[in-house]
Each structure stands twice: as structure tokens, then as C-alpha cells.
Amino acid sequence: MKIGILTSGGDCPGLNAVIRGAVLKGIKVHGQEFVGFRDGWRGVVEGDVMDLPRHAVRGISKQGGTILGTSRTNPFEGNGGADAIKENLERLGIDAMIAIGGEGTLAAAKRLTDLGLKIVGVPKTVDNDLDATDYTFGFDTAVQIATEAIDRLRTTGESHSRCMIAEVMGRHVGWIALHAGMASGAHAILIPEQQTSIEQIAEWVSDANARGRAPLVVVAEGFVPSHMEQAHSERGLDTFGRPRLGGIADQLAPELEARTGIETRATILGHIQRGGVPTSFDRVLATRLGMAAVDSVSDELWGTMVSLNGTEIAHVGFEAALGNLKRVPQHRYDEAAILFG
């Protein structure tokens, strides 16, 4: 059996470990053959592939990014669509596909599976917002990078007696902000699931300052203050029609400085959170998911994705992952809020 692997959407630490795990187990256990689609769905639509023999994946689990390249191509636009993709797969002799990606990638994979293509999925998102899996690889790395950066911001904040605001990723959910904020001892954590007033944030900042601390605020890019109706976006739309977020920290900084009288600086961590080498946790998780994905192919579990359930790998339908976002529950936020101010 010949399997095509694609990585689509935003890059993420751990993608290469998935590829390596899939290729090694597929070759050694199932006798499978592998090719990689270049640049995600673009490679699928255009039939642009590269061979993936065993030596091609040697030592790549520790590398960040993806050796296959990625893009945000919509497989149903332009020359795409199920019929065109089927023709490409038949021409290339590819029997099945492993799609590694987030919500958009898996939604496209489900739609194509419903139209008769043989696809299994591997969930990927640094935001950790996909339902039906306890953790996604890349999240642990993003939290570690954010925590290290925030630790550095804290030292300069304390040196100058400033309030420091760190903006992290999190379009719809605040998992990175929650974990990095708790790990770094933030005096306020602002997430999309919780609308908070500028007055309340200013109170937390002032309380910390009154105790002789340099206030530290961690905010997710998708946070919506109570005086705003939607997340801050001034960079247009992406290829899937979603607003490009980022910059809420720059909006909060002058507001907090005006209300508290404390010099306030904002830092947007941005893409640095999903660059570089994956943590050991993410390397292990990604490798296990890759190996489980080739088992799904061997068992013909089309329309399913592999997921982490506790410490075990499970196989669930695409619809289970796409039905709801995995949001930060109220009790987790309340737990963190005890530490605010």
C-alpha cells in the first residue's frame, strides 16, 4: 500500500516526529510505501509529491517545522475538488492519505472522506483547542516557549518597575495563556472564554503594584474586553475567511497606563511560539500519533483521527473532533484567578 502524507495549516513543533513515526512503523510493520505532498493541500491538488523512504526521515523528530512544507490552501478551490484529487491519487498510485493538521485541515479531510476518499487524520494545533483529544502536540512546546519569554519580560519589568503585558496565541481558546500565565506567576490572565473589564484588569495591576511587584499580564490574542464586541483584528482575513488576530496587548497597554499611572509595555510573542525544536513531551506524543495513524490506514478506519485519551492513543471520528472547540472550563479559570492581583 502506498500512502501520501500531508501537513497543512500553521506549522508546529512535532510535525516531523509524526512523519517519522508513521514512515518507520509503516515500513517496518505493515510493509507500506510513503510519499509526502509538498505544501499541504496544494501538493494534493497539484499532484506535487516527494518520496519518503526510511533514510528521508532519519533524525527529523527533533526538528521544528515540517520537511514537507505547509500552506493554507483550500483543496476545494481552483483546480481542486474530490474528482480532481482522486485523479491525482490514481495517477500517482496512492492508495490512502494521512492528513496532519488542525480544525480546517480535518474539516476538509472529513468532507473529502464523505466524498469517497480514503483519509485518516492526525490532530495538530498549538492552541490545544481540538475536541476529542486531551492534548495536541505543539501545545507543550508553545507553553514552554511562552513561559521562558514571559520569565524574561518579568526581569526587565522588575528592573524598571513597569507593568508588562505578554500576548500569546489563542484565537478562540486560552489554553496557552492559562498554562503559561500560571507557570510564570502572572497577576492577570486574559482569555477568550472570559470577558473582563478594563477596570478589573487595572485593579489587578494596581493591587500587584501596591505589594511592590512589577505587574505581569498574560493575554491571549483572541481576548475580547467587555467594552469590545469582537477580537481585535486589523490585518484582514486569511485564506479561509477568518480575521487575522493580534495586537490586543498594544490596545490594552495605554488603557492600563492611563488608569493606573504605571508605565506599561506590551510584547507580542507571535510566531516565535510555534517555531524551534519540540519538547520531549511533544516528540513522544507526535511519534505515537504517527505510528497509530498507519495502524488506522492498515485497519481501513477512514474518516477517523488518532487522539490522546489519558495516556492511551484512541481512534475517533472526524465529527467528534470538529463538533465543538475544547474551551477552558470555568473551574480551571477560577482556579487560576485565585492568584491574580
Side-chain angles (χ1 to χ4, degrees), residues 135 139 143 147 174-184 189 332:
Y135 281 97
F139 170 67
V143 170
T147 300
W175 287 109
I176 294 177
L178 181 76
H179 281 231
M182 289 187 72
S184 59
I189 300 172
R332 286 295 307 274

Side-chain angles (χ1 to χ4, degrees), residues 161-244:
S161 299
R162 291 173 178 159
C163 172
M164 306 299 286
I165 304 177
E167 180 180 318
V168 300
M169 286 182 170
R171 169 179 289 273
H172 299 298
V173 304
W175 287 109
I176 294 177
L178 181 76
H179 281 231
M182 289 187 72
S184 59
H187 300 106
I189 300 172
L190 312 176
I191 60 176
E193 295 89 338
Q194 299 283 334
Q195 275 203 319
T196 308
S197 68
I198 291 292
E199 290 76 17
Q200 175 62 78
I201 302 168
E203 181 179 332
W204 286 328
V205 167
S206 296
D207 287 348
N209 183 70
R211 292 186 292 106
R213 303 303 304 278
L216 173 63
V217 178
V218 176
V219 58
E221 62 186 353
F223 169 68
V224 182
S226 59
H227 68 279
M228 292 172 57
E229 295 184 356
Q230 58 188 11
H232 176 71
S233 173
E234 58 184 10
R235 297 183 293 172
L237 305 177
D238 64 18
T239 54
F240 289 94
R242 301 174 302 186
R244 289 190 173 97

Side-chain angles (χ1 to χ4, degrees), residues 153-162 164 213-214:
L153 289 177
R154 177 184 284 282
T155 61
T156 193
E158 291 173 344
S159 297
H160 294 270
S161 299
R162 291 173 178 159
M164 306 299 286
R213 303 303 304 278

Side-chain angles (χ1 to χ4, degrees), residues 65-333:
T66 166
I67 63 169
L68 300 180
T70 186
S71 70
R72 297 191 184 276
T73 300
N74 187 329
F76 293 95
E77 292 182 350
N79 297 321
D83 291 338
I85 292 173
K86 284 180 182 178
E87 290 180 7
N88 282 335
L89 297 181
E90 290 175 1
R91 175 174 56 84
L92 295 166
I94 297 173
D95 302 296
M97 290 192 293
I98 296 175
I100 310 168
E103 182 184 12
T105 301
L106 297 180
K110 181 184 185 305
R111 184 175 170 187
L112 289 169
T113 302
D114 292 341
L115 293 172
L117 275 72
K118 298 177 178 179
I119 307 175
V120 299
V122 179
K124 177 264 342 170
T125 167
V126 295
D127 287 345
N128 198 41
D129 62 355
L130 279 175
D131 210 359
T133 186
D134 291 344
Y135 281 97
T136 49
F137 65 87
F139 170 67
D140 187 72
T141 304
V143 170
Q144 184 63 33
I145 292 170
T147 300
E148 291 177 0
I150 294 167
D151 286 345
R152 296 174 188 275
L153 289 177
R154 177 184 284 282
T155 61
T156 193
E158 291 173 344
S159 297
H160 294 270
S161 299
R162 291 173 178 159
C163 172
M164 306 299 286
I165 304 177
E167 180 180 318
V168 300
M169 286 182 170
R171 169 179 289 273
H172 299 298
V173 304
W175 287 109
I176 294 177
L178 181 76
H179 281 231
M182 289 187 72
S184 59
H187 300 106
I189 300 172
L190 312 176
I191 60 176
E193 295 89 338
Q194 299 283 334
Q195 275 203 319
T196 308
S197 68
I198 291 292
E199 290 76 17
Q200 175 62 78
I201 302 168
E203 181 179 332
W204 286 328
V205 167
S206 296
D207 287 348
N209 183 70
R211 292 186 292 106
R213 303 303 304 278
L216 173 63
V217 178
V218 176
V219 58
E221 62 186 353
F223 169 68
V224 182
S226 59
H227 68 279
M228 292 172 57
E229 295 184 356
Q230 58 188 11
H232 176 71
S233 173
E234 58 184 10
R235 297 183 293 172
L237 305 177
D238 64 18
T239 54
F240 289 94
R242 301 174 302 186
R244 289 190 173 97
L245 303 185
I248 185 61
D250 289 329
Q251 300 292 308
L252 292 174
E255 293 277 354
L256 291 177
E257 184 167 328
R259 282 171 167 76
T260 65
I262 304 168
E263 186 178 4
T264 304
R265 294 286 185 270
T267 298
I268 301 173
L269 298 185
H271 291 87
I272 195 172
Q273 294 162 86
R274 65 185 192 204
V277 300
T279 61
S280 57
F281 178 90
D282 279 340
R283 295 182 201 188
V284 172
L285 174 59
T287 301
R288 294 181 69 201
L289 292 175
M291 292 192 294
V294 296
D295 290 338
S296 295
V297 172
S298 181
D299 294 335
E300 299 185 353
L301 299 177
W302 315 126
T304 68
M305 76 169 200
V306 290
S307 69
L308 183 68
N309 184 358
T311 60
E312 300 301 318
I313 304 298
H315 305 265
V316 300
F318 284 145
E319 63 278 359
L322 300 171
N324 296 287
L325 286 175
K326 184 175 64 184
R327 302 182 185 276
V328 174
Q330 186 66 47
H331 73 273
R332 286 295 307 274
Y333 185 77

